[in-house]
Amino acid sequence: MLEACELSKAYGANLALNALNLRVAPGEIFCLLGANGAGKTTTIHLFLNFIAPSVGVARIGGFDVSRDTGQARQMVAYLPENVALYPRLSGVENLDYFSRLSGHRYAKKQLRNFLMAAGLLEEAADKPVANYSKGMRQKVGIAIACAKEAKVLLLDEPTSGLDPQASYEFSNLLRTLADSGVAILMATHDLFRVKESGHRAGIMKGGKMLTVLNTGEISAAELERIYLQYMQAGLHVAEAAL
Ligand SMILES: Nc1ncnc2c1ncn2[C@@H]1O[C@H](COP(=O)(O)OP(=O)(O)OP(=O)(O)O)[C@@H](O)[C@H]1O
Ligand SMILES: [Mg+2]
């Protein structure tokens, strides 16, 4: 569903992404881990065709995102770290607006259901988004992504700013979406949530994918240990510890 082949992005001499090869299947949650500047956002932006690759191809549903941008975009919902909404509109009105943009017309009741499924409290749904907390705006963003009924979900640090319960509910929602066949690629620093909701986790450093782990085979503590070893040591040392 989601595929990167030798995907690379150079900014001058800086290789922000270095020959990434990755496939995310329908129903799979793949988490991108790595220090600040590792290349996670670059990867997501390449899949969205916000930036053009220096080398390689990003495909969504078989469509090359640089060439068949329209078809690829239609299949994707994107949730950035800070969701941009219209502050004077309510949660319901924002969701209605963005759903229409993606070709969906929902009844008010359905719009509310999307918002509640994303964890927004019912009484907040009709209030202007300007008065929402960051977590509440994030939930509207999640509802917008769900209402688009996209086959692919790209998320860049979606749980930063969510309280632990919201983060837990968010993970459950991701699992439900994956169970319905959505392919999910998520950049995150939340190792615990990676273990809870991800199927696979890739550890990135300096634009390179160093290793890919099956989260079902390791504990959260092991994931943290392996992650830290990759961050602190050279590649070969971390490999020896696996
Ligand atoms: N527009 C740009 N111009 C030049 N260099 C850039 C640009 N965008 C990103 N980079 C560089 O690309 C590298 C990867 O950045 P990226 O934003 O992908 O990291 P990240 O893994 O998302 O980090 P974070 O955890 O801080 O979000 C960094 O070295 C960064 O400085
Ligand atoms: Mg980033």
Side-chain angles (χ1 to χ4, degrees):
M1 187 52 71
L2 206 69
E3 189 183 15
C5 295
E6 295 296 312
L7 191 63
S8 307
K9 180 69 185 176
Y11 291 106
N14 179 17
L15 255 184
L17 189 64
N18 188 352
L20 175 71
N21 288 295
L22 173 71
R23 273 166 178 265
V24 184
E28 188 180 21
I29 302 175
F30 191 103
C31 300
L32 296 175
L33 290 170
N36 301 128
K40 305 179 297 294
T41 297
T42 300
T43 303
I44 290 173
H45 285 182
L46 284 164
F47 273 111
L48 289 162
N49 198 41
F50 288 173
I51 51 175
S54 307
V55 179
V57 186
R59 291 193 191 90
I60 291 176
F63 295 111
D64 176 339
V65 302
S66 303
R67 281 206 335 242
D68 310 312
T69 309
Q71 286 107 314
R73 277 263 172 87
Q74 244 174 6
M75 303 183 76
V76 174
Y78 166 54
L79 188 64
E81 188 186 346
N82 291 299
V83 180
L85 300 168
Y86 289 94
R88 286 198 209 158
L89 300 183
S90 70
V92 170
E93 287 164 343
N94 268 285
L95 177 57
D96 188 26
Y97 175 77
F98 285 105
S99 296
R100 282 168 196 258
L101 278 189
S102 65
H104 293 83
R105 265 169 185 267
Y106 293 110
K108 234 191 174 149
K109 176 109 182 64
Q110 288 172 296
L111 294 169
R112 286 175 176 285
N113 286 345
F114 278 118
L115 290 168
M116 281 194 299
L120 193 76
L121 294 177
E122 199 172 1
E123 57 264 32
D126 290 313
K127 298 205 171 113
V129 160
N131 301 336
Y132 283 18
S133 69
K134 180 179 178 186
M136 290 161 79
R137 285 197 300 277
Q138 208 64 8
K139 288 170 184 175
V140 178
I142 295 161
I144 291 169
C146 292
K148 190 174 176 187
E149 295 182 322
K151 293 268 170 267
V152 174
L153 199 50
L154 299 173
L155 308 149
D156 200 351
E157 300 189 32
T159 52
S160 83
L162 292 189
D163 66 52
Q165 189 194 347
S167 188
Y168 167 79
E169 286 167 2
F170 178 76
S171 296
N172 286 344
L173 190 66
L174 284 190
R175 275 286 186 168
T176 309
L177 287 170
D179 289 345
S180 73
V182 177
I184 298 174
L185 180 66
M186 170 167 68
T188 181
H189 293 296
D190 189 339
L191 295 176
F192 180 69
R193 284 290 145 219
V194 168
K195 166 66 193 150
E196 291 300 300
S197 58
H199 297 109
R200 286 192 295 156
I203 298 178
M204 298 180 76
K205 188 177 182 181
K208 270 202 107 49
M209 181 73 85
L210 300 183
T211 191
V212 176
L213 305 160
N214 289 321
T215 57
E217 293 167 4
I218 46 172
S219 67
E222 276 174 306
L223 177 60
E224 184 182 47
R225 182 181 63 78
I226 294 166
Y227 176 86
L228 290 175
Q229 265 163 342
Y230 271 102
M231 292 305 119
Q232 287 159 1
L235 170 59
H236 49 286
V237 178
E239 270 180 345
L242 276 172

Short mmCIF file of all heavy atoms in Angstrom, two decimals, residues 36-37 39-42 81 156-157 187 189, ligand 2:
data_model
loop_
_atom_site.label_atom_id
_atom_site.label_comp_id
_atom_site.label_asym_id
_atom_site.label_seq_id
_atom_site.Cartn_x
_atom_site.Cartn_y
_atom_site.Cartn_z
N ASN A 36 15.91 13.72 16.91
CA ASN A 36 15.58 14.91 16.13
C ASN A 36 16.54 15.00 14.94
O ASN A 36 17.75 14.82 15.10
CB ASN A 36 15.73 16.18 16.99
CG ASN A 36 14.82 16.15 18.22
OD1 ASN A 36 15.26 16.35 19.34
ND2 ASN A 36 13.55 15.89 18.00
N GLY A 37 15.97 15.23 13.77
CA GLY A 37 16.81 15.34 12.57
C GLY A 37 17.14 14.02 11.91
O GLY A 37 17.95 13.96 10.98
N GLY A 39 15.25 12.13 10.02
CA GLY A 39 14.67 11.98 8.68
C GLY A 39 13.22 11.49 8.67
O GLY A 39 12.69 11.14 7.61
N LYS A 40 12.57 11.49 9.82
CA LYS A 40 11.19 10.98 9.92
C LYS A 40 10.21 11.88 9.17
O LYS A 40 9.42 11.41 8.33
CB LYS A 40 10.78 10.85 11.40
CG LYS A 40 11.72 10.01 12.23
CD LYS A 40 11.30 9.92 13.68
CE LYS A 40 11.30 11.25 14.42
NZ LYS A 40 12.65 11.85 14.59
N THR A 41 10.25 13.17 9.48
CA THR A 41 9.34 14.11 8.81
C THR A 41 9.65 14.17 7.31
O THR A 41 8.73 14.23 6.48
CB THR A 41 9.44 15.51 9.46
OG1 THR A 41 9.02 15.39 10.82
CG2 THR A 41 8.56 16.52 8.74
N THR A 42 10.93 14.12 6.98
CA THR A 42 11.33 14.12 5.56
C THR A 42 10.66 12.95 4.84
O THR A 42 10.13 13.11 3.73
CB THR A 42 12.87 14.01 5.45
OG1 THR A 42 13.44 15.13 6.13
CG2 THR A 42 13.32 13.99 4.01
N GLU A 81 1.78 17.38 13.36
CA GLU A 81 1.86 17.55 14.81
C GLU A 81 0.89 18.63 15.28
O GLU A 81 0.26 18.51 16.33
CB GLU A 81 3.30 17.91 15.21
CG GLU A 81 3.48 17.90 16.71
CD GLU A 81 4.85 18.39 17.15
OE1 GLU A 81 5.75 18.49 16.30
OE2 GLU A 81 4.99 18.67 18.34
N ASP A 156 2.52 12.50 11.84
CA ASP A 156 3.81 13.02 12.31
C ASP A 156 3.66 13.46 13.76
O ASP A 156 3.07 14.49 14.05
CB ASP A 156 4.25 14.19 11.43
CG ASP A 156 5.75 14.44 11.54
OD1 ASP A 156 6.40 13.83 12.41
OD2 ASP A 156 6.27 15.25 10.74
N GLU A 157 4.17 12.68 14.65
CA GLU A 157 4.11 12.92 16.09
C GLU A 157 2.70 13.28 16.55
O GLU A 157 2.48 14.33 17.15
CB GLU A 157 5.11 14.01 16.49
CG GLU A 157 6.53 13.61 16.14
CD GLU A 157 7.57 14.55 16.72
OE1 GLU A 157 7.33 15.09 17.80
OE2 GLU A 157 8.62 14.72 16.09
N ALA A 187 5.40 8.79 12.55
CA ALA A 187 6.64 9.22 13.19
C ALA A 187 6.30 9.56 14.63
O ALA A 187 5.31 10.25 14.89
CB ALA A 187 7.20 10.45 12.49
N HIS A 189 7.98 9.81 19.01
CA HIS A 189 9.04 9.63 20.01
C HIS A 189 8.52 8.79 21.17
O HIS A 189 9.23 8.58 22.15
CB HIS A 189 9.51 11.00 20.53
CG HIS A 189 10.19 11.82 19.49
ND1 HIS A 189 11.39 11.44 18.92
CD2 HIS A 189 9.85 12.99 18.89
CE1 HIS A 189 11.75 12.36 18.04
NE2 HIS A 189 10.84 13.30 18.00
MG MG B 2 9.91 15.59 12.49
#
